[in-house]
Amino acid sequence: MVLGAGVAGHTAASFARRWLDRGDSVTVVSPKPDYNWVPSNIWVGVGLLKPEKVTFALAPVYERAGIEFVQAAAREFHPEGDGEDRTPYVTAENANGKRSKIPYDFLINATGPALRFDKTEGLGPDGGHSLSVCQPAHAAQAAAALDDEVERMRRGEKRRFLVGMGHGTCTCEGAAFEYIVNLEFELRHRGVRDRAELTWITNEYELGDFGMGGMQLRGGGYVTPSSIYSASLFAERRIDWITRAHVSRVEPDRVLYETLDGLQGEQGFDFAMLLPPFSGVGLQAFDRGGAEITERLFLPNGFMRVDADYSPRPYEQWKAADWPRTYQSPEYRNVFAAGIAFAPPHAISVPRKSPNGTVIAPAPPRTGMPSAMIGKAVARSVVDMIAGADAPTRTASMAEMGAACIASAGANPFKGTAVSMTVFPIVPDFERYPEHGRDPAGTFGEIGLAGHWIKIMLHHMFLYKARLRPGWRWIPE
Amino acid sequence: MDPDKTHYVTKPTKRTVFMRTFLPWQAWRFAVINMKMIGMIRLSHRAQHPK
């Protein structure tokens, strides 16, 4: 059973189905009927794509592939079964509120994040004062709001745009970065750039940290930190920035924030796209007797404990080896977590607090390529354990794998650009690479039109792969 | 935007900006970046070695 049909869950279910015998079943439990290629939500948010171009219905794809699909949200997790039956099961709730027991032999928890707009007063599109691009519907709402702003600017008004992080512990800085540079490009394209004032607000200590502790890139005879490139791009495009900030409240026309030095500030806006912090989805776990064991299986932030080293240690003692390799639960050998659902042992960026004790540091990103690779590795381990292996057979440590990433900086086939990046490894390993924690030969970045062409290619390729069209498995994660 | 802030920031030359969208150069970079990314994907998939 796979909980969740995002990048990690869908990849795990697809490969498990392909590798398992027809006598075995693969069941996906997900509350949403659609698959969403999340990286392209950015383009929905600036009005370049409609939501249906980044989503498709899962049911017919799973039916064709022989995967059972239950559209429901997992609520409870009974890894020992109950008093009547020792078969482990999950309790899932459908849209009508009806709960059902779904038994499993092996479970992959790929439930992704809960979007915690509630962590900041006034944050978010549902009852708050800011917009989001986390989901296609949110992104479409942002696009409609952008159209209104453009109309006002065409009438001669000046408008203020604020984009970034809605809380001091957010992750996915890269996605918001893509949004603000695409927004700037789109405002230029629509001929109203001169009437727009753009500001980036972030919990990063320096621009270009992206929750990965930044990157060091070789070129021109120097090893240059990503902060230099990010500041350069912002200065070139006249985007102002506020770093080291925790947004504490969002009001209809301004945000209040605290910075790492303990100062309070405010920034006015007419249009704000601010990402929320994440947590786990809040699954509860129970033992055979019905006693709650959630704390044994999950960290307080709701993400699932796996084979990582969660011993609390100061930053100086963090090691690459702390990061999980097999993603197996230490409590139950038939339970795994993949993608955002697994609990990282700690952040990647340096942890920091303001004098008031407010944490202002990015959480570690684990989306896209690593999520898919973890999903695939976990699926292989499960398939091998079903075939008789005693323990997981595959590893996919973020401290041993690299990532290739394309960050769109403006979508146009002739004038668009994107930043193409590779890093190796994702989690710096200072024992192996003492200077910067990463292999300088595997860490690279470049901005240009070629990156945009690759981004377009990947959009179509990954949606083709996710639809499980012929040859899908040959497209790498 | 505060000019003091941008004064100390690296900015691209006109030539650099031009080359970012100069089609022949970008066609070449398309090939080069793809090769780099394929190399990274191979390297990362090799990291999924048997335990």
Side-chain angles (χ1 to χ4, degrees):
Chain A
M1 183 194 294
V2 180
L3 304 181
V7 172
H10 186 65
T11 303
S14 306
F15 277 102
R17 178 65 280 164
R18 175 169 167 72
W19 290 328
L20 283 169
D21 291 336
R22 284 288 146 183
D24 298 308
S25 68
V26 176
T27 304
V28 172
V29 178
S30 176
K32 292 175 192 158
D34 298 326
Y35 179 84
N36 173 211
W37 177 240
V38 178
S40 295
N41 285 1
I42 298 299
W43 289 337
V44 177
V46 291
L48 293 175
L49 289 181
K50 295 290 179 197
E52 52 269 25
K53 293 289 183 189
V54 298
T55 56
F56 62 81
L58 282 166
V61 173
Y62 284 159
E63 190 179 349
R64 180 163 39 86
I67 295 169
E68 291 171 29
F69 180 47
V70 178
Q71 194 192 325
R75 298 289 186 216
E76 290 176 5
F77 176 32
H78 296 260
E80 299 170 4
D82 54 30
E84 297 167 8
D85 186 350
R86 291 192 180 184
T87 307
Y89 67 91
V90 164
T91 306
E93 185 178 325
N94 69 14
N96 301 323
K98 189 183 168 194
R99 289 199 173 201
S100 55
K101 281 167 64 168
I102 310 171
Y104 66 84
D105 295 313
F106 283 85
L107 178 80
I108 300 173
N109 173 17
T111 42
L115 306 176
R116 299 301 303 274
F117 291 108
D118 58 302
K119 291 279 186 183
T120 300
E121 189 185 339
L123 181 68
D126 302 320
H129 309 293
S130 61
L131 299 154
S132 152
V133 291
C134 294
Q135 296 172 348
H138 289 171
Q141 204 177 343
L146 174 60
D147 288 343
D148 291 343
E149 296 300 330
V150 169
E151 279 311 307
R152 296 179 82 141
M153 287 187 281
R154 282 184 178 146
R155 291 199 297 266
E157 290 183 46
K158 293 212 167 193
R159 305 299 280 172
R160 297 162 301 169
F161 293 79
L162 181 67
V163 175
M165 302 292 117
H167 192 273
T169 61
C170 283
T171 182
C172 275
E173 286 77 8
F177 174 89
E178 278 189 276
Y179 188 74
I180 196 167
V181 287
N182 269 275
L183 176 64
E184 193 277 338
F185 184 87
E186 194 57 24
L187 291 172
R188 258 190 289 154
H189 178 70
R190 298 194 199 184
V192 292
R193 178 64 183 90
D194 287 345
R195 299 198 177 104
E197 184 185 288
L198 277 78
T199 305
W200 169 250
I201 188 163
T202 182
N203 55 350
E204 298 159 291
Y205 188 75
E206 294 287 353
L207 295 176
D209 181 281
F210 297 133
M212 300 168 58
M215 289 161 277
Q216 275 71 29
L217 307 165
R218 280 202 306 194
Y222 289 88
V223 176
T224 308
S226 48
S227 57
I228 300 288
Y229 289 99
S230 299
S232 173
L233 189 60
F234 280 178
E236 179 193 342
R237 297 197 174 191
R238 292 183 291 123
I239 299 171
D240 200 357
W241 62 88
I242 301 164
T243 54
R244 309 174 191 184
H246 159 72
V247 172
S248 54
R249 196 158 86 215
V250 185
E251 296 183 351
D253 59 354
R254 64 173 187 166
V255 296
L256 305 183
Y257 63 88
E258 177 187 346
T259 53
L260 260 183
D261 51 16
L263 298 177
Q264 307 291 325
E266 67 172 71
Q267 176 69 32
F269 67 81
D270 300 301
F271 173 109
M273 197 299 287
L274 299 171
L275 296 186
F278 294 167
S279 74
V281 297
L283 276 174
Q284 288 182 296
F286 297 90
D287 69 8
R288 193 182 315 146
E292 185 165 358
I293 53 169
T294 306
E295 282 183 16
R296 270 170 51 197
L297 274 87
F298 296 89
L299 289 189
N301 59 16
F303 295 121
M304 184 180 263
R305 293 175 191 271
V306 288
D307 61 321
D309 185 347
Y310 296 106
S311 319
R313 286 198 211 92
Y315 173 76
E316 295 71 27
Q317 292 175 27
W318 290 359
K319 290 184 304 198
D322 300 341
W323 285 76
R325 302 186 81 225
T326 67
Y327 302 89
Q328 186 182 35
S329 164
E331 297 279 339
Y332 298 97
R333 66 183 291 275
N334 61 341
V335 174
F336 293 78
I340 295 175
F342 85 82
H346 42 67
I348 301 173
S349 303
V350 180
R352 291 183 168 95
K353 280 183 182 174
S354 76
N356 306 319
T358 308
V359 176
I360 306 178
R366 45 210 187 278
T367 50
M369 184 176 163
S371 276
M373 291 189 59
I374 292 166
K376 185 179 180 183
V378 166
R380 186 71 248 180
S381 287
V382 168
V383 169
D384 290 344
M385 288 172 76
I386 288 170
D390 290 336
T393 53
R394 288 291 188 278
T395 65
S397 168
M398 283 173 59
E400 294 168 8
M401 71 166 89
C405 171
I406 308 281
S408 173
N412 181 282
F414 300 107
K415 293 291 171 193
T417 52
V419 183
S420 310
M421 286 177 282
T422 65
V423 291
F424 187 88
I426 299 168
V427 175
D429 183 345
F430 287 96
E431 289 173 359
R432 199 168 162 199
Y433 305 106
E435 197 170 2
H436 301 299
R438 295 198 178 96
D439 179 1
T443 303
F444 142 89
E446 174 177 330
I447 184 168
L449 178 59
H452 175 68
W453 293 337
I454 298 171
K455 183 89 178 170
I456 292 283
M457 191 174 77
L458 295 182
H459 166 87
H460 292 292
M461 247 171 55
F462 285 130
L463 277 167
Y464 181 91
K465 179 185 168 98
R467 286 187 172 105
L468 307 182
R469 298 281 186 208
W472 64 269
R473 64 186 184 278
W474 300 114
I475 298 172
E477 286 68 50
Chain B
M1 198 171 168
D2 182 2
D4 283 348
K5 203 169 186 176
T6 56
H7 180 74
Y8 295 100
V9 172
T10 308
K11 286 192 193 138
T13 60
K14 278 185 182 171
R15 182 177 183 278
T16 298
V17 173
F18 170 77
M19 293 300 276
R20 284 180 191 165
T21 52
F22 181 51
L23 291 177
W25 175 245
Q26 288 301 316
W28 164 245
R29 296 313 296 166
F30 180 80
V32 171
I33 295 168
N34 267 298
M35 294 312 292
K36 280 178 183 276
M37 294 211 157
I38 289 167
M40 178 54 58
I41 289 162
R42 275 188 171 170
L43 189 66
S44 296
H45 278 253
R46 274 211 301 270
Q48 286 189 326
H49 48 71
K51 195 187 170 195

